[in-house]
Amino acid sequence: MPEAVSTDELLERLVPVVRRGVVTSPPWPFDDPMSLYEESPEREWAWLRGIWAGRARVNDDFWRLYFVVVVDGEPVGMQDLIGLRFGTFGTLSTFSWLAPDARGLGLGKEMRQAVLHLAFEGLGAKEAGSDAFDDNVASNRVSQALGYAPNGSDRDTRRGEPALLNRWKPPRERWAETRRDDIDLFGVAECLPVLGIQPNEASR
């Protein structure tokens, strides 16, 4: 299950998945505002515009890397890695979604392991946090299975309604204990200066 940079060609192939609907019934997994809650065809256009805008907003204080999850040659979802003042704190957060028919196959854990490898091994992160609504059982279980430590709770809204949010974080040391040796990274060094990361920082 490779994760590939979200080229326009891969995004175009994901459009039918977004058109069919990524979330169609509660419990709603995403906070507000979220383009995936919009009605089609605005949903597809808002989703694409959001990614294009995120690509353009890259500086030392904020960047977001978008990856497409590909299974047997077909794109089935996305896994994002978000840096906020990464040069100062070395912390990241993740965001992901899968097509409904690709869930329950263990892909969520595989996706997270891959992006954590990029975060810690490729970018030199110190922590890579995640959060999920309390009733988002699948996401919370992935965090627990990968050794994330509870990092408190918060509240946010989804489709206008307040809900409890669980926060998780895996320190670099915990990841190092369970890191996989079958994940390959390509082209990371060339991207570091664009993200405001010095090569020596990525090996810390």
Side-chain angles (χ1 to χ4, degrees):
M1 183 212 67
E3 288 184 10
V5 175
S6 59
T7 63
D8 281 350
E9 186 270 335
L10 280 174
L11 292 178
E12 183 178 359
R13 291 171 60 194
L14 262 181
V15 166
V17 177
V18 176
R19 181 174 294 125
R20 287 193 299 268
V22 174
V23 285
T24 56
S25 62
W28 309 111
F30 307 127
D31 56 353
D32 295 330
M34 170 50 62
S35 61
L36 295 176
Y37 289 145
E38 300 286 346
E39 296 294 329
S40 180
E42 176 58 26
R43 175 168 60 243
E44 299 95 289
W45 284 114
W47 169 72
L48 282 171
R49 286 194 299 263
I51 294 174
W52 291 334
R55 286 176 177 172
R57 185 188 172 191
V58 177
N59 55 58
D60 293 356
D61 288 333
F62 177 87
W63 40 261
R64 183 166 184 156
L65 307 181
Y66 301 87
F67 298 97
V68 174
V69 180
V70 181
V71 178
D72 297 329
E74 292 300 320
V76 297
M78 295 195 71
Q79 174 74 68
D80 302 352
L81 191 61
I82 306 158
L84 182 63
R85 300 186 67 188
F86 180 79
T88 301
F89 301 114
T91 59
L92 300 165
S93 60
T94 61
F95 173 84
S96 65
W97 61 264
L98 277 170
D101 57 0
R103 297 171 192 160
L105 305 175
L107 296 177
K109 185 177 178 181
E110 294 266 332
M111 294 158 54
R112 192 89 66 85
Q113 285 174 312
V115 82
L116 286 179
H117 195 87
L118 171 61
F120 291 121
E121 180 69 15
L123 305 181
K126 296 177 181 177
E127 293 180 354
S130 183
D131 56 52
F133 285 110
D134 189 59
D135 54 8
N136 188 342
V137 176
S139 181
N140 285 300
R141 282 181 176 170
V142 167
S143 296
Q144 291 171 321
L146 295 180
Y148 282 53
N151 191 31
S153 61
D154 203 346
R155 289 189 177 275
D156 208 329
T157 60
R158 50 185 179 181
R159 308 195 78 170
E161 296 295 328
L164 180 65
L165 197 69
N166 295 329
R167 298 198 179 278
W168 303 89
K169 68 173 183 179
R172 182 184 180 94
E173 295 76 16
R174 180 68 183 90
W175 165 81
E177 294 172 0
T178 58
R179 61 175 292 172
R180 289 172 49 167
D181 58 7
D182 60 346
I183 298 175
D184 298 317
L185 301 175
F186 301 95
V188 176
E190 293 82 356
C191 297
L192 295 178
V194 180
L195 304 178
I197 303 172
Q198 299 301 317
N200 61 326
E201 293 176 339
S203 60
R204 59 192 166 194

